[in-house]
Each structure stands twice: as C-alpha cells, then as structure tokens.
Amino acid sequence: GESVGLHLPTLSVQEGDNSIINCAYSNSASDYFIWYKQESGKGPQFIIDIRSNMDKRQGQRVTVLLNKTVKHLSLQIAATQPGDSAVYFCAESYQTGANNLFFGTGTRLTVIP
Amino acid sequence: KAGVTQTPRYLIKTRGQQVTLSCSPISGHRSVSWYQQTPGQGLQFLFEYFSETQRNKGNFPGRFSGRQFSNSRSEMNVSTLELGDSALYLCASSLRRGREETQYFGPGTRLLVL
C-alpha cells in the first residue's frame, strides 16, 4: 500500500537459499500488482506482475503469490544470488483508467556469499 | 530498445529556486508518470501524462507541475524549492494508459536542495 514512514524491513539470506519477501497491500479493489527491484543508485526494475484473477505466477527464478483474502503478496526468489541484493517493492494499482502505482515500503534483501 | 532516460542525473539547487527535470520514455511508449522517492515517504506518485495531457495527479502542491510533448518526452518543474523537495525523482513510461500497463522506470534524477 502507500508508504508511510519508513522503517525498511530487512532480510538476509545465504547465497543459494530461497528468499521470500512479503507485502501487505492496502486496497481490496486493487487488481494488478507488480514487484520491482531497486539497486543502489538506480531506478526500480520490473521483476514480475500478477493480475487479481490469478493466485500464482512464475518467472525465471521468481514466483509471485497473491492471497486476496488477506490482501497479501509474496515474492519468492529461488537460489538467491549476490546480484539479488537490493530493495524490493511491491506496488498495487486500483484506480480505474489510471496507471499510477501505490508502492509498499520496500524490503532490503542482503545475500550473504 | 533503449530504456527510459532522465536528465540530469544529479542536481543541486538552493531554496526558492526552480528546477526542470527531463524524461525520455521508451520508444513507442505514450504514457509517462513521475514519482518522488524519499527515505521518509517512500515512492509517491506525482502525476501522469498521456497524449500531452495530464491525466492523473497525486497529492502534491501546485509547485509541482509537468508537461508532455508531442514526441512523448516529458518535463517536470518544481518552483520555489523547499528543503523537503530533496529526493530522487523517477520517471516511468508505459505503452498505454490503464491500470494493468507495466511501467518501466528510468534511473532517476537526484535533487538536493540546500
């Protein structure tokens, strides 16, 4: 949901392990969700998206799960690599006819070699 | 295909000045959105332009404005800068409008107001 003032959750994982990053979204009317990865000094990079008529979607090494009942989104990264270290944001979209995104606070993922 | 480009990448201004930031979307993309990112507030939507018209606006004061040109390039302007305007300003483009259109972000312009 909307970012409010921010203590950034952190997650540290060993290289090769799987990572799970969670996000609680705010609006039950949201029907499109995106995960972005942001590395230091760069803009957010699209990872994967999911529409509300799905509960799971897989990409390369990533899986997004959507639980509309509890308004929860998760991003699973398989075999986490040092290059996966970044801040991960979930974003939701719910405004009809508009494509402005509402971002979560982000989670900092640190991969330990 | 080249990504979203933003200029300048870094900018230092003083309070009271005004600033203009530029964004070139991915070729063929017609929608451009602007976001402000700060440590305190996170990523917040500023406004969206499509076909040279502002289509959607976030909750920011009128000091923040923008425009889009016929080639879809966009500029945003902040007048009477305040210290709190220090932020990373991100531009994102998408092919069309609509809430299921994937937005692709540029690297941002980091603005420091002294």
Side-chain angles (χ1 to χ4, degrees):
Chain A
E2 296 182 4
S3 297
V4 289
L6 299 186
H7 170 71
L8 204 61
T10 59
L11 175 66
S12 295
V13 299
Q14 290 289 142
E15 181 179 357
D17 287 351
N18 296 334
S19 303
I20 300 176
I21 300 171
N22 296 302
C23 174
Y25 63 92
S26 62
N27 195 316
S28 56
S30 293
D31 58 6
Y32 180 57
F33 306 88
I34 311 176
W35 280 99
Y36 285 95
K37 169 188 179 183
Q38 188 175 26
E39 298 174 277
S40 181
K42 297 183 179 180
Q45 175 189 353
F46 172 84
I47 301 174
I48 191 167
D49 60 2
I50 188 168
R51 288 162 173 75
S52 61
N53 60 351
M54 304 171 69
D55 52 22
K56 180 179 180 179
R57 190 168 188 217
Q58 290 184 288
Q60 186 178 13
R61 281 201 309 119
V62 294
T63 301
V64 55
L65 299 178
L66 174 63
N67 185 330
K68 294 183 288 294
T69 302
V70 294
K71 293 190 289 185
H72 183 268
L73 199 64
S74 68
L75 177 70
Q76 300 178 1
I77 305 174
T80 314
Q81 303 168 358
D84 295 327
S85 293
V87 177
Y88 289 80
F89 293 95
C90 67
E92 62 185 298
S93 179
Y94 54 79
Q95 284 192 269
T96 301
N99 60 355
N100 53 302
L101 296 171
F102 296 90
F103 282 83
T105 56
T107 296
R108 182 177 300 281
L109 173 67
T110 301
V111 181
I112 304 165
Chain B
K1 191 182 274 192
V4 177
T5 58
Q6 293 185 247
T7 57
R9 293 293 313 278
Y10 304 92
L11 206 48
I12 300 175
K13 292 286 188 178
T14 57
R15 277 182 301 174
Q17 287 187 311
Q18 68 92 27
V19 67
T20 299
L21 312 181
S22 181
C23 170
S24 293
I26 292 171
S27 177
H29 284 196
R30 297 175 61 195
S31 173
V32 174
S33 297
W34 289 89
Y35 293 81
Q36 181 196 64
Q37 185 175 28
T38 61
Q41 297 297 317
L43 270 153
Q44 294 186 298
F45 172 77
L46 280 158
F47 31 65
E48 179 209 358
Y49 285 86
F50 183 83
S51 293
E52 302 177 61
T53 302
Q54 186 180 96
R55 304 288 183 161
N56 201 6
K57 192 176 193 300
N59 189 27
F60 279 82
R63 300 185 296 107
F64 292 81
S65 64
R67 60 178 175 169
Q68 187 180 34
F69 302 95
S70 58
N71 61 358
S72 295
R73 191 177 69 84
S74 177
E75 291 180 345
M76 69 162 281
N77 184 79
V78 188
S79 62
T80 320
L81 284 165
E82 300 177 1
L83 296 179
D85 296 333
S86 294
L88 180 67
Y89 290 89
L90 292 158
C91 166
S93 76
S94 62
L95 190 60
R96 293 175 291 268
R97 296 200 69 231
R99 58 191 181 188
E100 295 187 357
E101 286 294 323
T102 302
Q103 293 185 48
Y104 297 92
F105 284 82
T109 293
R110 187 163 295 281
L111 172 65
L112 177 62
V113 182
L114 301 175

